[in-house]
Amino acid sequence: VVIEVVFGLLSNSLALLADAGHNLSDVLSLFFAWGASVLARRIPTQRHTYGLRRTSILAALINALVLLVAVGAIVWEAMLRFGHPEPVVSDTVIWVASAGIVITGFTAWLFMSGQKQDLNIRAAYLHMMADAAVSLGVVLAAIAIKFTDWLWLDPFMSLVVAVIIGIGTWGLLRESLSLALDAVPANIHPSKVEAYLASLPGIEAVHDLHIWAMSTTEIALTVHLVKPDAVIDDLLLVHINNELRELFGIQHTTVQFERGD
């Protein structure tokens, strides 16, 4: 980030400064992700009975908001540059942005394995992948400027950067906001969970089914099951808990049996 800012100013390249701004937002996102992962491991207390697991959801939400602010700043500056094109030292831009491709690409690779299971890690992974793509775009624009002297390519590439960031951020914002409002995680189908519970032996009805995210990796469920011959049955509860974990990835379950009278 520091190198891109310094050489972006020296080369007078808005595209390189935009890439630096994007990378800075990613540094912040990694900081938030790291902080959230630390807080999420805090043990529950009398005041926070679930611990601080939800900080991982808040971190993903903050990441999305920070990126949207960065997009706004990049678009604003790009529009100003369209009105007043300025010369760019293309060789400097090419070498610095090329180094950015290597660094961000390697960082994205480090997050690849965990991004399917954790929204917070997926946020970091998407940030890094977008960075590598954006740096590549900056390199291509600088090469084109060098041979054509089309100065409008610099702010144009900045707008392309903004669009890439915006598209990737919208899904992250929508999903993190949804989890923050206790929506059912996108990978869970409530109808399938209800159908499984209703198919259990002796269960006549299922109601008050609630599914929500405790964090970006843990899902909780509470449900009332109507069972006329209900008795305290630890083996059945263990079976239900294990099945919900294996079939749907729901780790924290609370089941209440009712006789229906």
Side-chain angles (χ1 to χ4, degrees):
V1 170
V2 173
I3 291 174
E4 283 194 324
V5 168
V6 171
F7 284 98
L9 293 172
L10 291 176
S11 64
N12 200 30
S13 171
L14 177 59
L16 196 56
L17 289 173
D19 195 23
H22 186 203
N23 285 330
L24 177 60
S25 70
D26 288 346
V27 171
L28 293 175
S29 78
L30 294 177
F31 174 77
F32 288 135
W34 168 75
S37 69
V38 172
L39 291 175
R41 290 195 293 269
R42 293 282 184 90
I43 62 173
T45 64
Q46 289 186 340
R47 178 63 60 184
H48 300 96
T49 56
Y50 279 129
L52 298 176
R53 293 177 173 89
R54 184 152 291 197
T55 53
S56 59
I57 297 175
L58 295 179
L61 181 58
I62 292 173
N63 283 339
L65 295 175
V66 168
L67 274 176
L68 289 178
V69 172
V71 167
I74 292 171
V75 170
W76 175 262
E77 187 63 27
M79 298 309 294
L80 294 178
R81 281 289 182 98
F82 273 120
H84 302 86
E86 298 182 17
V88 174
V89 183
S90 54
D91 286 338
T92 300
V93 177
I94 292 170
W95 287 109
V96 174
S98 295
I101 294 174
V102 175
I103 294 172
T104 54
F106 176 73
T107 308
W109 176 76
L110 293 176
F111 286 103
M112 184 179 296
S113 62
Q115 55 100 14
K116 293 183 179 180
Q117 292 79 31
D118 187 341
L119 178 64
N120 209 22
I121 293 179
R122 183 156 70 91
Y125 172 76
L126 289 174
H127 281 252
M128 295 300 108
M129 285 297 293
D131 274 353
V134 166
S135 295
L136 176 60
V138 172
V139 169
L140 295 177
I143 292 174
I145 291 173
K146 180 178 180 179
F147 290 103
T148 64
D149 204 29
W150 292 347
L151 298 181
W152 59 267
L153 282 174
D154 187 59
F156 174 77
M157 182 51 61
S158 301
L159 291 179
V160 172
V161 171
V163 170
I164 292 174
I165 300 172
I167 292 174
T169 302
W170 179 249
L172 175 63
L173 176 64
R174 183 177 58 188
E175 189 170 353
S176 57
L177 183 60
S178 179
L179 294 183
L181 295 175
D182 287 333
V184 178
N187 61 318
I188 301 292
H189 299 283
S191 58
K192 293 183 178 180
V193 176
E194 184 173 1
Y196 160 74
L197 294 170
S199 69
L200 291 169
I203 301 301
E204 291 191 350
V206 177
H207 65 94
D208 285 304
L209 173 61
H210 301 286
I211 307 170
W212 72 98
M214 298 171 62
S215 71
T216 54
T217 58
E218 296 176 279
I219 302 172
L221 172 149
T222 61
V223 67
H224 293 209
L225 301 178
V226 178
K227 192 172 188 292
D229 61 343
V231 294
I232 297 176
D233 190 341
D234 288 343
L235 289 178
L236 178 57
L237 287 174
V238 169
H239 172 74
I240 294 174
N241 290 339
N242 288 338
E243 288 282 283
L244 288 174
R245 181 182 297 107
E246 293 174 7
L247 295 176
F248 305 102
I250 300 173
Q251 298 90 342
H252 190 94
T253 57
T254 303
V255 178
Q256 176 174 316
F257 288 120
E258 300 172 358
R259 292 182 180 274
D261 56 358

